[in-house]
Amino acid sequence: DDSAGAYAYLAVDASLTITTTTLSATQASLTQAGVSEWATAAEWQANTASRVLETANLWSAAAEVTLTDAATITVDMNTFLNAVVTLGGNRTLGSPTNEKVGQTGVIRIVQDGTGTRTLAYGTDWEFASGSAPVLSTTAADQDLLFYYVIASNRVFATLIKDIS
């Protein structure tokens, strides 16, 4: 009985194997029923594709990305979930751009061979009790800055010190 609406039926041949290679090589559409497109890690990080995320690309998207050391460190959240930066002097971690509400991750902060480097934070960074944390300062020390994007221009973070 078709009185409740139109139905579509699909017969599946169990001998056929669908792989990411065969699907990726096929023309795909976001509006055509039954067709899937695979998102790249970069598309997923940047939130620019409404596509299926394959497990391997999820892990690629979560891989640590190196931030460029500079007087003010650029934090473009379209380019990473997890990052690392080695401080070559006293620095400021800039306010993030392209943040997405609900985005979480970690930035590993490494002291260079000299150590004693300090880190200030752009105005979008928020911390418990309103106090920015102080980094570990021994040469080659590593700290983890975990973050959670609460809203545009509001990133809550907490620091775990001296993981090295």
Side-chain angles (χ1 to χ4, degrees), residues 28-53:
S29 166
L30 297 177
T31 58
Q32 179 65 42
V35 177
S36 295
E37 270 189 293
W38 302 106
T40 66
E43 288 171 332
W44 192 75
Q45 289 167 332
N47 196 28
T48 59
S50 296
R51 298 179 180 161
V52 177
L53 186 62

Side-chain angles (χ1 to χ4, degrees), residues 134-159:
V134 176
L135 299 177
S136 302
T137 56
T138 303
D141 266 355
Q142 298 181 43
D143 298 336
L144 296 177
L145 183 71
F146 286 89
Y147 70 86
Y148 175 78
V149 178
I150 297 170
S152 179
N153 303 319
R154 288 192 66 206
V155 181
F156 182 79
T158 188
L159 187 76

Side-chain angles (χ1 to χ4, degrees), residues 32-110:
Q32 179 65 42
V35 177
S36 295
E37 270 189 293
W38 302 106
T40 66
E43 288 171 332
W44 192 75
Q45 289 167 332
N47 196 28
T48 59
S50 296
R51 298 179 180 161
V52 177
L53 186 62
E54 181 186 27
T55 305
N57 284 344
L58 173 62
W59 291 118
S60 292
E64 203 173 67
V65 171
T66 301
L67 300 179
T68 302
D69 180 47
T72 298
I73 300 164
T74 300
V75 182
D76 179 355
M77 290 192 171
N78 265 355
T79 61
F80 74 90
L81 297 172
N82 301 307
V84 61
V85 64
T86 300
L87 304 179
N90 296 334
R91 305 295 191 224
T92 297
L93 191 62
S95 290
T97 58
N98 299 308
E99 64 270 33
K100 292 159 278 303
V101 174
Q103 182 175 346
T104 63
V106 64
I107 300 172
R108 184 166 52 98
I109 303 163
V110 181

